[in-house]
Amino acid sequence: MYYMDSEGEFWDEVSNKKLNKNGVIAATLEEIKQVHSHGVYEKVTLEECWNQTGKAPIKTKWVDINKGDELNEELRSRLVAKEIKTDKRTDLFAATPPLEAKKILFSLAVTEGVGYTRGEEHSGMKLDFIDISRAYFQADAIRNVYVALPEEDATPGMCGKLMKSMYGTRDAAQNWGEAYSAFMKEIGFVRGISSPCVFWNPSRQLRCVVHGDDFTILGWEKELDWFWKEIKRRFESKHRGRLGPSEGDKKEIRILNRILEWTKEGILYEGDQ
């Protein structure tokens, strides 16, 4: 079930570097806990799977990665379905925003007349950075999908019928996109025409760009506080930080593996590494 060699060692699926064994086991158990808490699947008989789909459940595997570095490990074990794309369906599309969409937010934040008023720079607009924890687990499964149970949660003669979306299924990203878009519309946002990943709330003057499970929002502090209350009420979320001109605001954050820095001269964005 793991990317593990004959000696029982664990290896990073991306970097191919050796991982801490106890850390990987702990991360795996945490993922199983999250699967249960989000109700990702319900156990049903293999017979039901065959009757509904005419085939065996989709196999699953563990993908182990270190999201940190060698000194500060941040191990993550993700349960992934091995659903192979066998057709060219055009209805399984999930958009991602162009990088320029986020750059526009950064530019507007330090543009006079939009992000601030001359002479009042320290009370101007700010940028919030919010991550959704295990986003796919918070999006409903649309199709009838059956998966093999992981060894750690196996029951003889049973498989899992997805109630929520699982990483590795063909429409997981699309399901998540529909889930967060519906939420944004419910709280007053208008979805972009140029990109379905950009949003605008005219009454609250909030602009937002969504990249996967990452939300970047530009607005006045009071409205950002409102948005944070709303999104954490709907999704399991993490507030990564608020960049802004005030003394108490963060001045640096990492986004899409690049450093963003708020300075007296404006916002600095790290170039492509």
Side-chain angles (χ1 to χ4, degrees), residues 58-76:
I58 299 166
K59 293 181 179 179
T60 55
K61 71 171 185 175
W62 289 103
V63 174
D64 305 318
I65 60 172
N66 178 14
K67 298 181 71 175
D69 53 41
E70 293 183 12
L71 294 178
N72 300 290
E73 283 191 330
E74 186 181 345
L75 299 180
R76 174 72 188 274

Side-chain angles (χ1 to χ4, degrees), residues 31 46-47 76 149 151 156 174 177 201 229 242 244 248 271:
E31 182 77 345
L46 288 170
E47 182 182 11
R76 174 72 188 274
L149 297 171
E151 185 179 323
Q174 177 177 286
N201 189 313
K229 258 189 216 179
R242 177 172 294 172

Side-chain angles (χ1 to χ4, degrees), residues 2 10 20-31 64 75 77:
Y2 308 91
F10 297 90
N20 178 281
K21 184 175 182 178
N22 291 332
V24 171
I25 293 172
T28 300
L29 294 176
E30 174 61 24
E31 182 77 345
D64 305 318
L75 299 180
S77 289

